[in-house]
Amino acid sequence: MIRIYTAPSCASCRKVKAWLKEHQIPYVEKNIFSTLLREGELRELLERSENGTDDIISKRSKIIKENKVNIDDMSVNELIHFIQENPSILKRPIIIDERRFQVGYNAEEIRAFIPRELRRLQECNSSDYCPQFTDIKQEYYKDKCLEKK
């Protein structure tokens, strides 16, 4: 399941949610300001980011600048606690599932979150040209609906 970490005033967050809805891709939204970010979630975000804290933390954040906070000097536990207390330092949106991780809205990169079966279907211009994919979209969504029950 896709999780997206958002903030209410974030335009990129709204774009991601609209894109996921348009493509009928289910997701769970976590508003970073109204939901406590658990230690395990934050550890996962840190572990999955390719460039460490640079991927998910805005070092230009007001809190970091005004308090002259040096993220690099913190232990992982200190950093997790600091993020929990100051969620506004997180870049957003953060989109994550079992295999993929993306920060921000990028119209090309977000396509990776379309399930492989549906990506293949979209690459096919007509069902006459790709008869093997004729009913895959209906079957995919039917299966997804059954999983939710």
Side-chain angles (χ1 to χ4, degrees):
M1 174 65 75
I2 295 173
R3 284 176 286 149
I4 55 173
Y5 294 87
T6 65
S9 61
C10 171
S12 293
C13 298
R14 287 191 296 274
K15 286 181 185 177
V16 166
K17 291 189 299 186
W19 187 91
L20 291 169
K21 285 177 186 169
E22 177 185 332
H23 290 85
Q24 300 176 359
I25 299 173
Y27 65 90
V28 173
E29 178 179 7
K30 298 208 72 169
N31 180 326
I32 63 171
F33 295 111
S34 64
T35 306
L36 176 65
L37 299 172
R38 296 183 322 244
E39 181 180 337
E41 288 177 290
L42 293 172
R43 267 187 204 285
E44 181 184 15
L45 294 178
L46 289 166
E47 289 170 2
R48 299 275 301 272
S49 56
E50 292 179 12
N51 301 307
T53 58
D54 290 342
D55 283 348
I56 65 168
I57 294 179
S58 174
K59 301 217 170 138
R60 297 180 303 169
S61 140
K62 185 177 180 180
I63 293 169
I64 290 176
K65 279 183 167 181
E66 286 180 356
N67 296 310
K68 298 180 180 158
V69 175
N70 188 344
I71 298 291
D72 298 327
D73 287 346
M74 292 182 178
S75 69
V76 172
N77 288 335
E78 289 170 332
L79 178 59
I80 287 170
H81 182 70
F82 186 72
I83 295 169
Q84 286 175 321
E85 302 242 328
N86 305 284
S88 66
I89 68 170
L90 287 175
K91 293 180 181 178
R92 17 193 205 273
I94 298 174
I95 313 161
I96 188 170
D97 71 5
E98 297 79 21
R99 297 183 315 269
R100 295 164 292 254
F101 179 86
Q102 181 179 328
V103 178
Y105 175 77
N106 179 306
E108 291 300 314
E109 290 177 10
I110 197 168
R111 297 183 58 73
F113 287 92
I114 297 175
R116 182 174 294 141
E117 300 88 2
L118 295 181
R119 278 196 309 249
R120 281 192 218 130
L121 180 63
Q122 286 182 339
E123 291 168 1
C124 183
N125 293 331
S126 74
S127 59
D128 294 336
Y129 178 71
C130 297
Q132 69 272 30
F133 297 124
T134 304
D135 296 323
I136 195 168
K137 190 170 186 176
Q138 285 112 1
E139 288 176 31
Y140 174 80
Y141 288 120
K142 185 176 86 177
D143 292 344
K144 285 296 176 190
C145 289
L146 291 174
E147 284 177 13
K148 289 181 183 178
K149 291 181 180 180

